[in-house]
Amino acid sequence: MIELTAAQLAALTHGHLTLTAEPGLVVGLGSIITDSRDAFPGCVYVAKPGESADGHDFISDAVAAGAILVLAEREVSDPMGRAYPAVVVADAVLALGAVAAEAVKMIRAAGELTVIGITGSAGKTTTKDLLANILSRLGPTVAPQGSYNGEVGVPLTVFGADISTRYLIIEMGATGIGHIEYLASLVKPDIGVVLGVGTAHVGGFGSIENTAQAKGELVEALSAGGTAVLNADDARVRAMASRTAARIVYFGTGDRPPGQNQGLVRGVDVTTNNEGQPEFTLQFPAEFSRTVETKANAVDADGTSWPITSGLLGLHHVSNLLAAAAAARAAGAPPAVIAQSLRGQKALSRWRMERTVRRDGVTIINDAYNANPDSMRAALRTLAELGRGSDGTEHRTWAVLGPMLELGPDSIHEHDAIGRVAVRLNISRLVVVGQQARAMHVAAVMEGSWGDESVFVADADAAYDLLCAELRPGDVVLVKSSNGAGLRFLGDRIALPTDGTDEGRTQIQ
């Protein structure tokens, strides 16, 4: 764990110490927390204003639980009128970023560090998990917990590293122009991975063109000695090649982009098996292999092919698998290590195509951590495939869908389109949850659904009651919505047996 004194923290953040703070107090960056409920003896609590609560109101709780220092935007006094020991700064979030930037500098100065940034409209967390599993076989690797990908999450990820860290993986999310540029300025990535440009958060960006502009800020931040890993199957991502001085490596399932001499990490013969898991042949270009070296070991040219059967669920994960493979190769991982790691690896973060089989034979696919039109379509295609059993039997398929948030003025149109897709894929039952998603139900009815094939319910409790009453053995249920809609918790509820116990519940991934 990297350590700094209270005085050093104040200097880095252009803040000042309260009279009760000891300048020589040594704190570990790994002990920094932003939620008072997570406080423990020896921690540093960051009090930041939020949308629904002000962290300053919980300083007393954090100190009572053992916090020895506070990073705050104003002095707060205890019941006796004494200020709590604190570094007082103008902006707590920007202060976190300044400390994170210094931590990265310290790690680089102490040893060999490779920083990999990952962005895209979908798939960031899965790709991050896949890449971390590969690189951890080569050296100490730090990656975000869950989906730490913003102006608070990125510093917290950095604080988990120390001078022995060899690989630091940073997930970068954004809801506006300039966000990724700021995050990249903190960690100075050596490798930048752009997965795709979709309609996620388009309401915040204003247009898909602005989304592409924002995602491309990652490759603009790379130096000439860095590597940009770009999705060759996404035209907007391919176009980012002109925005970087770094070396380009592509990944995809098609041919190398016309006129480009850069390598393509390619997936061929792509399909899914009877369990809905992707299968393909992973190919590394020989010219890419010859250029990748690390201080630990030189990598020989290796243009051979590697058969991959993934433990993930859904054909759409092929792109994430290829992205992880390309990024790992750029970081110096040998092809054999990459292939061995990808084979059979399941989802590590919760609520991403998480499959659970109940003891009564009902299968629940909980993919409700997030949703946008592209990921909705991909999940529905996977559900349709799973409805066709490996033994030739047909299973009833249920799509339990909530709202896709942050779509701006296109929201009704995009929800309408998803309802029509569900009908065209012949999903057996569509359950639309919440007023914001109602357009899905209306569209399904207009597209040709009839009777009770499509049902609208007001909330998750109503959906739960409906499912408890009507699910039967062999059914396959997809639960999907944006994170803010909370349907992931509905997925957890229906994954339990009807008696509420965990007995007989088998989590596949």
PDB file of all heavy atoms in Angstrom, residues 227-263:
ATOM      1  N   THR A 227      -0.263   1.918 -27.351  1.00  0.00           N
ATOM      2  CA  THR A 227      -0.997   1.068 -28.290  1.00  0.00           C
ATOM      3  C   THR A 227      -2.484   1.319 -28.146  1.00  0.00           C
ATOM      4  O   THR A 227      -3.031   1.241 -27.040  1.00  0.00           O
ATOM      5  CB  THR A 227      -0.717  -0.425 -28.041  1.00  0.00           C
ATOM      6  OG1 THR A 227       0.683  -0.674 -28.133  1.00  0.00           O
ATOM      7  CG2 THR A 227      -1.451  -1.286 -29.058  1.00  0.00           C
ATOM      8  N   ALA A 228      -3.137   1.616 -29.269  1.00  0.00           N
ATOM      9  CA  ALA A 228      -4.592   1.751 -29.304  1.00  0.00           C
ATOM     10  C   ALA A 228      -5.183   0.441 -29.815  1.00  0.00           C
ATOM     11  O   ALA A 228      -4.819  -0.032 -30.900  1.00  0.00           O
ATOM     12  CB  ALA A 228      -5.007   2.909 -30.204  1.00  0.00           C
ATOM     13  N   VAL A 229      -6.074  -0.155 -29.044  1.00  0.00           N
ATOM     14  CA  VAL A 229      -6.718  -1.413 -29.402  1.00  0.00           C
ATOM     15  C   VAL A 229      -8.154  -1.088 -29.796  1.00  0.00           C
ATOM     16  O   VAL A 229      -8.975  -0.705 -28.957  1.00  0.00           O
ATOM     17  CB  VAL A 229      -6.672  -2.408 -28.226  1.00  0.00           C
ATOM     18  CG1 VAL A 229      -7.366  -3.712 -28.598  1.00  0.00           C
ATOM     19  CG2 VAL A 229      -5.227  -2.671 -27.802  1.00  0.00           C
ATOM     20  N   LEU A 230      -8.460  -1.222 -31.093  1.00  0.00           N
ATOM     21  CA  LEU A 230      -9.724  -0.723 -31.642  1.00  0.00           C
ATOM     22  C   LEU A 230     -10.568  -1.836 -32.252  1.00  0.00           C
ATOM     23  O   LEU A 230     -10.036  -2.764 -32.878  1.00  0.00           O
ATOM     24  CB  LEU A 230      -9.441   0.335 -32.717  1.00  0.00           C
ATOM     25  CG  LEU A 230      -8.594   1.543 -32.294  1.00  0.00           C
ATOM     26  CD1 LEU A 230      -8.383   2.473 -33.479  1.00  0.00           C
ATOM     27  CD2 LEU A 230      -9.238   2.274 -31.135  1.00  0.00           C
ATOM     28  N   ASN A 231     -11.871  -1.701 -32.109  1.00  0.00           N
ATOM     29  CA  ASN A 231     -12.823  -2.664 -32.647  1.00  0.00           C
ATOM     30  C   ASN A 231     -12.983  -2.459 -34.150  1.00  0.00           C
ATOM     31  O   ASN A 231     -13.583  -1.475 -34.600  1.00  0.00           O
ATOM     32  CB  ASN A 231     -14.169  -2.503 -31.937  1.00  0.00           C
ATOM     33  CG  ASN A 231     -15.180  -3.555 -32.336  1.00  0.00           C
ATOM     34  OD1 ASN A 231     -14.957  -4.331 -33.267  1.00  0.00           O
ATOM     35  ND2 ASN A 231     -16.301  -3.591 -31.638  1.00  0.00           N
ATOM     36  N   ALA A 232     -12.463  -3.372 -34.934  1.00  0.00           N
ATOM     37  CA  ALA A 232     -12.530  -3.256 -36.393  1.00  0.00           C
ATOM     38  C   ALA A 232     -13.944  -3.447 -36.919  1.00  0.00           C
ATOM     39  O   ALA A 232     -14.239  -3.060 -38.055  1.00  0.00           O
ATOM     40  CB  ALA A 232     -11.598  -4.277 -37.040  1.00  0.00           C
ATOM     41  N   ASP A 233     -14.844  -4.022 -36.114  1.00  0.00           N
ATOM     42  CA  ASP A 233     -16.212  -4.265 -36.558  1.00  0.00           C
ATOM     43  C   ASP A 233     -17.126  -3.074 -36.322  1.00  0.00           C
ATOM     44  O   ASP A 233     -18.314  -3.127 -36.671  1.00  0.00           O
ATOM     45  CB  ASP A 233     -16.779  -5.495 -35.833  1.00  0.00           C
ATOM     46  CG  ASP A 233     -16.022  -6.771 -36.169  1.00  0.00           C
ATOM     47  OD1 ASP A 233     -15.413  -6.829 -37.251  1.00  0.00           O
ATOM     48  OD2 ASP A 233     -16.027  -7.703 -35.335  1.00  0.00           O
ATOM     49  N   ASP A 234     -16.602  -2.014 -35.716  1.00  0.00           N
ATOM     50  CA  ASP A 234     -17.392  -0.817 -35.425  1.00  0.00           C
ATOM     51  C   ASP A 234     -16.787   0.351 -36.201  1.00  0.00           C
ATOM     52  O   ASP A 234     -15.659   0.775 -35.935  1.00  0.00           O
ATOM     53  CB  ASP A 234     -17.372  -0.533 -33.923  1.00  0.00           C
ATOM     54  CG  ASP A 234     -18.290   0.608 -33.518  1.00  0.00           C
ATOM     55  OD1 ASP A 234     -18.277   1.657 -34.186  1.00  0.00           O
ATOM     56  OD2 ASP A 234     -19.010   0.464 -32.505  1.00  0.00           O
ATOM     57  N   ALA A 235     -17.537   0.879 -37.173  1.00  0.00           N
ATOM     58  CA  ALA A 235     -16.990   1.923 -38.051  1.00  0.00           C
ATOM     59  C   ALA A 235     -16.575   3.167 -37.278  1.00  0.00           C
ATOM     60  O   ALA A 235     -15.567   3.804 -37.605  1.00  0.00           O
ATOM     61  CB  ALA A 235     -18.030   2.299 -39.112  1.00  0.00           C
ATOM     62  N   ARG A 236     -17.337   3.529 -36.253  1.00  0.00           N
ATOM     63  CA  ARG A 236     -16.986   4.723 -35.483  1.00  0.00           C
ATOM     64  C   ARG A 236     -15.700   4.513 -34.691  1.00  0.00           C
ATOM     65  O   ARG A 236     -14.929   5.456 -34.484  1.00  0.00           O
ATOM     66  CB  ARG A 236     -18.138   5.108 -34.556  1.00  0.00           C
ATOM     67  CG  ARG A 236     -19.363   5.649 -35.294  1.00  0.00           C
ATOM     68  CD  ARG A 236     -20.443   6.113 -34.334  1.00  0.00           C
ATOM     69  NE  ARG A 236     -21.547   6.734 -35.034  1.00  0.00           N
ATOM     70  CZ  ARG A 236     -22.589   6.068 -35.515  1.00  0.00           C
ATOM     71  NH1 ARG A 236     -22.650   4.735 -35.354  1.00  0.00           N
ATOM     72  NH2 ARG A 236     -23.558   6.697 -36.148  1.00  0.00           N
ATOM     73  N   VAL A 237     -15.468   3.302 -34.238  1.00  0.00           N
ATOM     74  CA  VAL A 237     -14.224   3.015 -33.517  1.00  0.00           C
ATOM     75  C   VAL A 237     -13.050   2.951 -34.485  1.00  0.00           C
ATOM     76  O   VAL A 237     -11.966   3.467 -34.203  1.00  0.00           O
ATOM     77  CB  VAL A 237     -14.351   1.701 -32.717  1.00  0.00           C
ATOM     78  CG1 VAL A 237     -13.028   1.375 -32.016  1.00  0.00           C
ATOM     79  CG2 VAL A 237     -15.471   1.814 -31.689  1.00  0.00           C
ATOM     80  N   ARG A 238     -13.251   2.329 -35.653  1.00  0.00           N
ATOM     81  CA  ARG A 238     -12.179   2.290 -36.658  1.00  0.00           C
ATOM     82  C   ARG A 238     -11.689   3.692 -36.995  1.00  0.00           C
ATOM     83  O   ARG A 238     -10.496   3.935 -37.188  1.00  0.00           O
ATOM     84  CB  ARG A 238     -12.652   1.600 -37.937  1.00  0.00           C
ATOM     85  CG  ARG A 238     -12.857   0.110 -37.825  1.00  0.00           C
ATOM     86  CD  ARG A 238     -12.866  -0.541 -39.212  1.00  0.00           C
ATOM     87  NE  ARG A 238     -13.793   0.099 -40.137  1.00  0.00           N
ATOM     88  CZ  ARG A 238     -15.067  -0.257 -40.283  1.00  0.00           C
ATOM     89  NH1 ARG A 238     -15.580  -1.228 -39.547  1.00  0.00           N
ATOM     90  NH2 ARG A 238     -15.846   0.358 -41.159  1.00  0.00           N
ATOM     91  N   ALA A 239     -12.638   4.626 -37.073  1.00  0.00           N
ATOM     92  CA  ALA A 239     -12.294   5.998 -37.452  1.00  0.00           C
ATOM     93  C   ALA A 239     -11.399   6.674 -36.420  1.00  0.00           C
ATOM     94  O   ALA A 239     -10.759   7.690 -36.722  1.00  0.00           O
ATOM     95  CB  ALA A 239     -13.558   6.811 -37.657  1.00  0.00           C
ATOM     96  N   MET A 240     -11.323   6.140 -35.218  1.00  0.00           N
ATOM     97  CA  MET A 240     -10.488   6.741 -34.172  1.00  0.00           C
ATOM     98  C   MET A 240      -9.001   6.564 -34.442  1.00  0.00           C
ATOM     99  O   MET A 240      -8.172   7.196 -33.784  1.00  0.00           O
ATOM    100  CB  MET A 240     -10.843   6.147 -32.807  1.00  0.00           C
ATOM    101  CG  MET A 240     -12.236   6.482 -32.340  1.00  0.00           C
ATOM    102  SD  MET A 240     -12.629   5.684 -30.762  1.00  0.00           S
ATOM    103  CE  MET A 240     -14.395   6.017 -30.657  1.00  0.00           C
ATOM    104  N   ALA A 241      -8.651   5.714 -35.400  1.00  0.00           N
ATOM    105  CA  ALA A 241      -7.240   5.500 -35.728  1.00  0.00           C
ATOM    106  C   ALA A 241      -6.563   6.804 -36.129  1.00  0.00           C
ATOM    107  O   ALA A 241      -5.364   6.999 -35.886  1.00  0.00           O
ATOM    108  CB  ALA A 241      -7.107   4.470 -36.843  1.00  0.00           C
ATOM    109  N   SER A 242      -7.332   7.718 -36.713  1.00  0.00           N
ATOM    110  CA  SER A 242      -6.753   8.991 -37.158  1.00  0.00           C
ATOM    111  C   SER A 242      -6.562   9.973 -36.012  1.00  0.00           C
ATOM    112  O   SER A 242      -5.957  11.033 -36.199  1.00  0.00           O
ATOM    113  CB  SER A 242      -7.652   9.634 -38.226  1.00  0.00           C
ATOM    114  OG  SER A 242      -8.920   9.957 -37.677  1.00  0.00           O
ATOM    115  N   ARG A 243      -7.037   9.603 -34.831  1.00  0.00           N
ATOM    116  CA  ARG A 243      -6.991  10.530 -33.698  1.00  0.00           C
ATOM    117  C   ARG A 243      -5.883  10.206 -32.709  1.00  0.00           C
ATOM    118  O   ARG A 243      -5.845  10.792 -31.625  1.00  0.00           O
ATOM    119  CB  ARG A 243      -8.349  10.522 -32.971  1.00  0.00           C
ATOM    120  CG  ARG A 243      -9.495  11.018 -33.821  1.00  0.00           C
ATOM    121  CD  ARG A 243     -10.841  10.770 -33.167  1.00  0.00           C
ATOM    122  NE  ARG A 243     -10.961  11.413 -31.862  1.00  0.00           N
ATOM    123  CZ  ARG A 243     -12.023  11.277 -31.073  1.00  0.00           C
ATOM    124  NH1 ARG A 243     -13.059  10.531 -31.479  1.00  0.00           N
ATOM    125  NH2 ARG A 243     -12.072  11.882 -29.904  1.00  0.00           N
ATOM    126  N   THR A 244      -4.995   9.284 -33.058  1.00  0.00           N
ATOM    127  CA  THR A 244      -3.956   8.900 -32.107  1.00  0.00           C
ATOM    128  C   THR A 244      -2.604   8.776 -32.783  1.00  0.00           C
ATOM    129  O   THR A 244      -2.516   8.419 -33.966  1.00  0.00           O
ATOM    130  CB  THR A 244      -4.318   7.570 -31.415  1.00  0.00           C
ATOM    131  OG1 THR A 244      -3.330   7.254 -30.431  1.00  0.00           O
ATOM    132  CG2 THR A 244      -4.408   6.420 -32.423  1.00  0.00           C
ATOM    133  N   ALA A 245      -1.566   9.066 -32.008  1.00  0.00           N
ATOM    134  CA  ALA A 245      -0.200   8.874 -32.480  1.00  0.00           C
ATOM    135  C   ALA A 245       0.313   7.485 -32.144  1.00  0.00           C
ATOM    136  O   ALA A 245       1.400   7.088 -32.561  1.00  0.00           O
ATOM    137  CB  ALA A 245       0.720   9.925 -31.849  1.00  0.00           C
ATOM    138  N   ALA A 246      -0.470   6.733 -31.390  1.00  0.00           N
ATOM    139  CA  ALA A 246      -0.040   5.416 -30.924  1.00  0.00           C
ATOM    140  C   ALA A 246      -0.132   4.368 -32.026  1.00  0.00           C
ATOM    141  O   ALA A 246      -0.800   4.560 -33.056  1.00  0.00           O
ATOM    142  CB  ALA A 246      -0.906   4.982 -29.743  1.00  0.00           C
ATOM    143  N   ARG A 247       0.541   3.247 -31.800  1.00  0.00           N
ATOM    144  CA  ARG A 247       0.410   2.090 -32.686  1.00  0.00           C
ATOM    145  C   ARG A 247      -1.021   1.568 -32.614  1.00  0.00           C
ATOM    146  O   ARG A 247      -1.661   1.611 -31.570  1.00  0.00           O
ATOM    147  CB  ARG A 247       1.381   0.997 -32.227  1.00  0.00           C
ATOM    148  CG  ARG A 247       1.313  -0.277 -33.065  1.00  0.00           C
ATOM    149  CD  ARG A 247       2.292  -1.316 -32.553  1.00  0.00           C
ATOM    150  NE  ARG A 247       1.991  -1.711 -31.184  1.00  0.00           N
ATOM    151  CZ  ARG A 247       2.137  -2.960 -30.729  1.00  0.00           C
ATOM    152  NH1 ARG A 247       2.565  -3.906 -31.527  1.00  0.00           N
ATOM    153  NH2 ARG A 247       1.873  -3.247 -29.479  1.00  0.00           N
ATOM    154  N   ILE A 248      -1.542   1.066 -33.730  1.00  0.00           N
ATOM    155  CA  ILE A 248      -2.914   0.563 -33.784  1.00  0.00           C
ATOM    156  C   ILE A 248      -2.910  -0.960 -33.845  1.00  0.00           C
ATOM    157  O   ILE A 248      -2.175  -1.560 -34.625  1.00  0.00           O
ATOM    158  CB  ILE A 248      -3.661   1.093 -35.021  1.00  0.00           C
ATOM    159  CG1 ILE A 248      -3.589   2.617 -35.086  1.00  0.00           C
ATOM    160  CG2 ILE A 248      -5.119   0.625 -35.001  1.00  0.00           C
ATOM    161  CD1 ILE A 248      -4.273   3.332 -33.974  1.00  0.00           C
ATOM    162  N   VAL A 249      -3.737  -1.573 -33.029  1.00  0.00           N
ATOM    163  CA  VAL A 249      -4.033  -3.001 -33.132  1.00  0.00           C
ATOM    164  C   VAL A 249      -5.547  -3.136 -33.157  1.00  0.00           C
ATOM    165  O   VAL A 249      -6.248  -2.552 -32.328  1.00  0.00           O
ATOM    166  CB  VAL A 249      -3.450  -3.793 -31.945  1.00  0.00           C
ATOM    167  CG1 VAL A 249      -3.940  -5.239 -31.984  1.00  0.00           C
ATOM    168  CG2 VAL A 249      -1.933  -3.749 -31.961  1.00  0.00           C
ATOM    169  N   TYR A 250      -6.058  -3.875 -34.128  1.00  0.00           N
ATOM    170  CA  TYR A 250      -7.494  -4.075 -34.253  1.00  0.00           C
ATOM    171  C   TYR A 250      -7.897  -5.441 -33.701  1.00  0.00           C
ATOM    172  O   TYR A 250      -7.085  -6.375 -33.622  1.00  0.00           O
ATOM    173  CB  TYR A 250      -7.929  -3.996 -35.720  1.00  0.00           C
ATOM    174  CG  TYR A 250      -7.810  -2.616 -36.328  1.00  0.00           C
ATOM    175  CD1 TYR A 250      -6.749  -2.290 -37.168  1.00  0.00           C
ATOM    176  CD2 TYR A 250      -8.771  -1.643 -36.063  1.00  0.00           C
ATOM    177  CE1 TYR A 250      -6.641  -1.027 -37.735  1.00  0.00           C
ATOM    178  CE2 TYR A 250      -8.671  -0.374 -36.624  1.00  0.00           C
ATOM    179  CZ  TYR A 250      -7.605  -0.067 -37.450  1.00  0.00           C
ATOM    180  OH  TYR A 250      -7.500   1.176 -38.004  1.00  0.00           O
ATOM    181  N   PHE A 251      -9.180  -5.549 -33.358  1.00  0.00           N
ATOM    182  CA  PHE A 251      -9.771  -6.854 -33.050  1.00  0.00           C
ATOM    183  C   PHE A 251     -11.132  -6.908 -33.718  1.00  0.00           C
ATOM    184  O   PHE A 251     -11.790  -5.888 -33.929  1.00  0.00           O
ATOM    185  CB  PHE A 251      -9.890  -7.077 -31.537  1.00  0.00           C
ATOM    186  CG  PHE A 251     -10.825  -6.127 -30.839  1.00  0.00           C
ATOM    187  CD1 PHE A 251     -12.175  -6.424 -30.664  1.00  0.00           C
ATOM    188  CD2 PHE A 251     -10.359  -4.915 -30.337  1.00  0.00           C
ATOM    189  CE1 PHE A 251     -13.036  -5.544 -30.032  1.00  0.00           C
ATOM    190  CE2 PHE A 251     -11.208  -4.021 -29.690  1.00  0.00           C
ATOM    191  CZ  PHE A 251     -12.548  -4.336 -29.535  1.00  0.00           C
ATOM    192  N   GLY A 252     -11.562  -8.120 -34.090  1.00  0.00           N
ATOM    193  CA  GLY A 252     -12.853  -8.251 -34.729  1.00  0.00           C
ATOM    194  C   GLY A 252     -13.049  -9.604 -35.355  1.00  0.00           C
ATOM    195  O   GLY A 252     -12.183 -10.487 -35.279  1.00  0.00           O
ATOM    196  N   THR A 253     -14.187  -9.765 -35.999  1.00  0.00           N
ATOM    197  CA  THR A 253     -14.522 -11.044 -36.629  1.00  0.00           C
ATOM    198  C   THR A 253     -14.510 -10.949 -38.151  1.00  0.00           C
ATOM    199  O   THR A 253     -14.735 -11.944 -38.830  1.00  0.00           O
ATOM    200  CB  THR A 253     -15.915 -11.515 -36.178  1.00  0.00           C
ATOM    201  OG1 THR A 253     -16.884 -10.501 -36.480  1.00  0.00           O
ATOM    202  CG2 THR A 253     -15.942 -11.785 -34.678  1.00  0.00           C
ATOM    203  N   GLY A 254     -14.246  -9.764 -38.673  1.00  0.00           N
ATOM    204  CA  GLY A 254     -14.185  -9.605 -40.122  1.00  0.00           C
ATOM    205  C   GLY A 254     -12.759  -9.507 -40.617  1.00  0.00           C
ATOM    206  O   GLY A 254     -11.824  -9.999 -39.975  1.00  0.00           O
ATOM    207  N   ASP A 255     -12.594  -8.858 -41.763  1.00  0.00           N
ATOM    208  CA  ASP A 255     -11.270  -8.702 -42.336  1.00  0.00           C
ATOM    209  C   ASP A 255     -10.592  -7.461 -41.773  1.00  0.00           C
ATOM    210  O   ASP A 255     -11.232  -6.582 -41.182  1.00  0.00           O
ATOM    211  CB  ASP A 255     -11.365  -8.573 -43.867  1.00  0.00           C
ATOM    212  CG  ASP A 255     -11.896  -9.848 -44.511  1.00  0.00           C
ATOM    213  OD1 ASP A 255     -11.620 -10.935 -43.958  1.00  0.00           O
ATOM    214  OD2 ASP A 255     -12.597  -9.750 -45.537  1.00  0.00           O
ATOM    215  N   ARG A 256      -9.306  -7.383 -41.992  1.00  0.00           N
ATOM    216  CA  ARG A 256      -8.540  -6.216 -41.585  1.00  0.00           C
ATOM    217  C   ARG A 256      -9.086  -4.987 -42.314  1.00  0.00           C
ATOM    218  O   ARG A 256      -9.422  -5.057 -43.507  1.00  0.00           O
ATOM    219  CB  ARG A 256      -7.067  -6.424 -41.920  1.00  0.00           C
ATOM    220  CG  ARG A 256      -6.178  -5.236 -41.572  1.00  0.00           C
ATOM    221  CD  ARG A 256      -4.746  -5.501 -41.981  1.00  0.00           C
ATOM    222  NE  ARG A 256      -4.182  -6.630 -41.271  1.00  0.00           N
ATOM    223  CZ  ARG A 256      -2.970  -7.119 -41.505  1.00  0.00           C
ATOM    224  NH1 ARG A 256      -2.214  -6.585 -42.447  1.00  0.00           N
ATOM    225  NH2 ARG A 256      -2.513  -8.145 -40.822  1.00  0.00           N
ATOM    226  N   PRO A 257      -9.210  -3.848 -41.620  1.00  0.00           N
ATOM    227  CA  PRO A 257      -9.716  -2.635 -42.286  1.00  0.00           C
ATOM    228  C   PRO A 257      -8.916  -2.307 -43.539  1.00  0.00           C
ATOM    229  O   PRO A 257      -7.683  -2.404 -43.541  1.00  0.00           O
ATOM    230  CB  PRO A 257      -9.538  -1.558 -41.210  1.00  0.00           C
ATOM    231  CG  PRO A 257      -9.619  -2.314 -39.922  1.00  0.00           C
ATOM    232  CD  PRO A 257      -8.957  -3.638 -40.197  1.00  0.00           C
ATOM    233  N   PRO A 258      -9.578  -1.926 -44.623  1.00  0.00           N
ATOM    234  CA  PRO A 258      -8.888  -1.636 -45.887  1.00  0.00           C
ATOM    235  C   PRO A 258      -7.822  -0.557 -45.716  1.00  0.00           C
ATOM    236  O   PRO A 258      -8.024   0.430 -45.014  1.00  0.00           O
ATOM    237  CB  PRO A 258     -10.027  -1.135 -46.798  1.00  0.00           C
ATOM    238  CG  PRO A 258     -11.271  -1.698 -46.196  1.00  0.00           C
ATOM    239  CD  PRO A 258     -11.029  -1.745 -44.720  1.00  0.00           C
ATOM    240  N   GLY A 259      -6.678  -0.780 -46.359  1.00  0.00           N
ATOM    241  CA  GLY A 259      -5.619   0.200 -46.348  1.00  0.00           C
ATOM    242  C   GLY A 259      -4.829   0.258 -45.063  1.00  0.00           C
ATOM    243  O   GLY A 259      -3.961   1.112 -44.899  1.00  0.00           O
ATOM    244  N   GLN A 260      -5.121  -0.641 -44.134  1.00  0.00           N
ATOM    245  CA  GLN A 260      -4.428  -0.615 -42.859  1.00  0.00           C
ATOM    246  C   GLN A 260      -3.398  -1.741 -42.799  1.00  0.00           C
ATOM    247  O   GLN A 260      -3.650  -2.862 -43.225  1.00  0.00           O
ATOM    248  CB  GLN A 260      -5.418  -0.772 -41.702  1.00  0.00           C
ATOM    249  CG  GLN A 260      -6.491   0.316 -41.644  1.00  0.00           C
ATOM    250  CD  GLN A 260      -5.922   1.655 -41.268  1.00  0.00           C
ATOM    251  OE1 GLN A 260      -4.838   1.750 -40.711  1.00  0.00           O
ATOM    252  NE2 GLN A 260      -6.660   2.715 -41.569  1.00  0.00           N
ATOM    253  N   ASN A 261      -2.235  -1.427 -42.276  1.00  0.00           N
ATOM    254  CA  ASN A 261      -1.175  -2.426 -42.132  1.00  0.00           C
ATOM    255  C   ASN A 261      -1.089  -2.975 -40.710  1.00  0.00           C
ATOM    256  O   ASN A 261      -0.257  -3.827 -40.429  1.00  0.00           O
ATOM    257  CB  ASN A 261       0.174  -1.805 -42.519  1.00  0.00           C
ATOM    258  CG  ASN A 261       0.224  -1.422 -43.985  1.00  0.00           C
ATOM    259  OD1 ASN A 261      -0.290  -2.149 -44.823  1.00  0.00           O
ATOM    260  ND2 ASN A 261       0.821  -0.274 -44.291  1.00  0.00           N
ATOM    261  N   GLN A 262      -1.924  -2.463 -39.839  1.00  0.00           N
ATOM    262  CA  GLN A 262      -1.865  -2.888 -38.458  1.00  0.00           C
ATOM    263  C   GLN A 262      -2.420  -4.305 -38.296  1.00  0.00           C
ATOM    264  O   GLN A 262      -3.186  -4.791 -39.126  1.00  0.00           O
ATOM    265  CB  GLN A 262      -2.658  -1.917 -37.559  1.00  0.00           C
ATOM    266  CG  GLN A 262      -2.081  -0.512 -37.498  1.00  0.00           C
ATOM    267  CD  GLN A 262      -2.529   0.353 -38.655  1.00  0.00           C
ATOM    268  OE1 GLN A 262      -3.179  -0.131 -39.585  1.00  0.00           O
ATOM    269  NE2 GLN A 262      -2.184   1.630 -38.617  1.00  0.00           N
ATOM    270  N   GLY A 263      -2.052  -4.934 -37.199  1.00  0.00           N
ATOM    271  CA  GLY A 263      -2.484  -6.299 -36.953  1.00  0.00           C
ATOM    272  C   GLY A 263      -3.951  -6.388 -36.580  1.00  0.00           C
ATOM    273  O   GLY A 263      -4.556  -5.430 -36.079  1.00  0.00           O
TER     274      GLY A 263
END
